[in-house]
Amino acid sequence: MKISVVGTGYVGLVSGVCLSEVGHDVVCIDNNAAKVADINAAKSPIYEKGLDDLLEKHIGTHLKASTDLQKAVVESDLTLIAVGTPFDGDLIDLQYVKQVSQEIGEALKGKDGYHVVVVKSTVVPGTTDDVVLPILEKYSGKKAGADFGVGMNPEFLREGEAISDFMNPDRIVLGGIDDATRVTLAEVYAPFPSTDKVLTNNRTAEMIKYTSNSLLATLISFSNEIGNLCSSIGGIDALEVMNGVHLDKRFSPILENGERIKPGMTTYLEAGCGFGGSCFPKDVKALISHGVNVGEPMSLLKSVIEINTQQPKQVMDRLRKHFPDLGNLKVAVLGLAFKPGTDDMRESPAIPIVQELIAENSVVTAFDPVAQDEASTIFPTAGITYCDSIEQTVSGVDAVLLLTRWPEFKALPEILNEQGASPLLVDGRRLLPKDSVDTYEGIGI
Ligand code: UGA
């Protein structure tokens, strides 16, 4: 099938590249000419594991990039809208979605034959039918349903695993205004015959995306509330509590041969210093404000955000328990990214923690395997020294704060041992055993 993808951000580029890998002819559209030139030269504007190789493999044959949206729409059978939907604190900002809908509508005006327009961007329920569809009709002068189809196909890609998630989907959600739209959209995913597909209307497709992220975020805040309670009661370790909970066979089923399945979801049921990233905080807040606008109190999801906003304080409380005065205290921060495997620092719990340390005049050293460049755009240079290794970061410090689950941080006890040092460790991710260092503090203990 001939597919045009509008927007070459993380979702658009990964989708475009992977759709060419499964056999479609894809044109990726962006209004940024420099980005388009880079993609055509097989240089990815974003880092995502495996993306460069696939780009190199298909660019110039089944894949190309262009700034010419009109031509791409006219020459393709289906257009995916994958532009950003930033959250402005109140509503998601639909300006890019509206702009490209208008341009696609104008292109459809001069096109003969049936075309399907599909929203892939994360948009609140109702957006595809109530915002995108009318704009397409207005600027094409044509009728949705009769002359063109309108669909919604959310993505479920994790940063760092996006290529693998696209190529090995757990579900494919296909929303459409009618069967003709859904049938055309299903052809896009014909190369995934054994994957479960949900064929539905656009509103439901939009809602599935928000509900998935909101549920995962809720599990994290739930675990954090329980973890904080365990700490306050005393004599209980939330890690053991949650392990006991995970063993419920409804969470981790036991097969007939006695083997137990440990679902990935249980890793969202662990206490820590909070969730971050470009999706969970934004999507939960957007769903709350959308819900409130339609008259729902959204009390549970409001608490999910409130707990998460407070969670970095748990790390600081444990530090202050040992060092009430943070002025001139030497503090090493291990991990700045919101999760391992990415340099993304958006909404990372490390941000409020480092900002507070700097405000308190602590002497901060920090190490993250990939996020240091990104961090240097956030924190004032004078307040923090970036190091090249764990060894250098923790050398001579009073306390170590572990904020991201990078596997390499498991070497910390051995490194401290070699240095003959025993600073306080506040393990914000419960990565290390609590007996692995002399003075251990962790969330949920
Ligand atoms: C998330 C969802 O997992 C994807 O399914 C979704 O497509 C994506 O948002 C999106 O909406 O685009 P992502 O933000 O990349 O993907 O991150 P996750 O790996 O899910 O991590 C989110 C937060 O959950 C992080 O702060 C992380 O620390 C926490 N997390 C992650 C856990 O607590 N446990 C885990 O096992 C993984």
Side-chain angles (χ1 to χ4, degrees):
M1 189 184 271
K2 290 188 164 54
I3 299 172
S4 42
V5 182
V6 187
T8 61
Y10 147 79
V11 174
L13 189 59
V14 168
S15 303
V17 167
C18 290
L19 288 171
S20 69
E21 168 74 0
V22 299
H24 298 297
D25 284 324
V26 180
V27 183
C28 288
I29 302 298
D30 206 291
N31 57 10
N32 181 332
K35 249 174 138 183
V36 164
D38 277 352
I39 296 169
N40 280 326
K43 279 190 239 150
S44 170
I46 54 159
Y47 174 75
E48 189 62 44
K49 197 169 55 193
L51 182 59
D52 283 344
D53 291 347
L54 286 186
L55 196 56
E56 182 85 51
K57 184 172 163 194
H58 297 293
I59 202 74
T61 54
H62 295 294
L63 177 69
K64 62 180 183 189
S66 167
T67 53
D68 193 342
L69 182 144
Q70 302 264 330
K71 183 166 181 273
V73 170
V74 170
E75 292 179 357
S76 60
D77 308 307
L78 180 142
T79 302
L80 292 174
I81 298 177
V83 292
T85 52
F87 183 66
D88 71 1
D90 184 27
L91 293 169
I92 55 164
D93 181 350
L94 289 176
Q95 60 166 314
Y96 307 112
V97 171
K98 288 179 179 168
Q99 178 61 34
V100 302
S101 299
Q102 177 179 332
E103 290 173 34
I104 294 167
E106 285 162 355
L108 289 179
K109 193 177 197 165
K111 181 177 175 173
D112 296 325
Y114 185 72
H115 191 91
V116 172
V117 181
V118 178
V119 176
K120 205 161 195 20
S121 308
T122 299
V123 292
V124 294
T127 306
T128 303
D129 288 347
D130 302 342
V131 178
V132 174
L133 185 151
I135 295 176
L136 291 171
E137 286 191 330
K138 179 176 169 190
Y139 288 93
S140 65
K142 295 184 172 179
K143 192 92 194 99
D147 304 316
F148 63 91
V150 184
M152 205 284 147
N153 168 223
E155 57 83 18
F156 300 99
L157 310 175
R158 289 165 302 165
E159 268 187 67
E161 300 295 333
I163 299 284
S164 152
D165 282 348
F166 195 101
M167 298 305 293
N168 307 286
D170 46 10
R171 76 209 110 152
I172 293 171
V173 175
L174 307 172
I177 48 166
D178 53 16
D179 284 341
T181 301
R182 286 184 286 263
V183 166
T184 310
L185 189 46
E187 279 175 39
V188 175
Y189 293 97
F192 303 98
S194 56
T195 306
D196 284 329
K197 304 200 175 59
V198 181
L199 273 69
T200 184
N201 62 33
N202 289 332
R203 283 179 147 71
T204 308
E206 291 160 333
M207 191 66 186
I208 289 171
K209 166 70 189 200
Y210 276 99
T211 306
S212 296
N213 277 359
S214 295
L215 174 62
L216 292 171
T218 302
L219 296 184
I220 296 173
S221 280
F222 169 80
S223 311
N224 286 338
E225 182 164 84
I226 295 293
N228 299 344
L229 178 62
C230 292
S231 298
S232 293
I233 295 172
I236 309 174
D237 184 348
L239 202 67
E240 273 182 62
V241 172
M242 291 323 258
N243 277 340
V245 173
H246 295 169
L247 290 173
D248 180 327
K249 59 180 176 292
R250 291 165 295 184
F251 278 119
S252 51
I254 303 167
L255 301 175
E256 271 183 17
N257 65 7
E259 192 192 323
R260 194 183 273 277
I261 298 173
K262 189 170 191 282
M265 192 188 72
T266 53
T267 58
Y268 290 80
L269 278 164
E270 286 169 2
C273 57
F275 60 77
S278 62
C279 303
F280 285 5
K282 163 185 159 236
D283 290 354
V284 177
K285 286 178 196 165
L287 194 60
I288 292 170
S289 72
H290 191 58
V292 169
N293 284 343
V294 297
E296 286 300 320
M298 306 304 290
S299 358
L300 176 63
L301 291 182
K302 280 180 185 163
S303 300
V304 167
I305 292 295
E306 196 187 315
I307 292 166
N308 195 57
T309 308
Q310 291 301 319
Q311 203 59 13
K313 194 173 166 289
Q314 294 286 329
V315 172
M316 293 307 287
D317 286 351
R318 280 158 182 75
L319 180 63
R320 284 181 201 279
K321 189 175 122 189
H322 293 259
F323 301 101
D325 181 5
L326 302 183
N328 290 320
L329 188 77
K330 292 186 183 123
V331 184
V333 174
L334 292 181
L336 297 163
F338 84 98
K339 67 171 186 178
T342 176
D343 66 350
D344 197 337
M345 286 210 49
R346 282 176 287 182
E347 307 264 351
S348 171
I351 296 175
I353 291 172
V354 171
Q355 281 172 341
E356 191 172 341
L357 291 171
I358 292 173
E360 295 280 350
N361 291 318
S362 303
V363 180
V364 184
T365 49
F367 175 65
D368 187 289
V370 298
Q372 288 177 197
D373 285 350
E374 196 54 38
S376 63
T377 66
I378 298 172
F379 304 122
T381 359
I384 177 168
T385 304
Y386 299 101
C387 300
D388 295 329
S389 64
I390 304 173
E391 285 83 346
Q392 194 189 351
T393 318
V394 302
S395 172
V397 298
D398 302 301
V400 179
L401 310 183
L402 196 160
L403 304 181
T404 313
R405 282 187 85 86
W406 285 102
E408 36 272 75
F409 295 158
K410 287 187 181 156
L412 179 67
E414 205 183 314
I415 290 168
L416 292 177
N417 214 7
E418 280 165 11
Q419 293 184 347
S422 49
L424 162 72
L425 168 63
V426 183
D427 187 348
R429 296 292 179 185
R430 299 303 304 272
L431 181 74
L432 291 163
K434 52 190 174 194
D435 57 0
S436 60
V437 294
D438 290 339
T439 320
Y440 182 97
E441 292 278 356
I443 310 284
I445 300 184

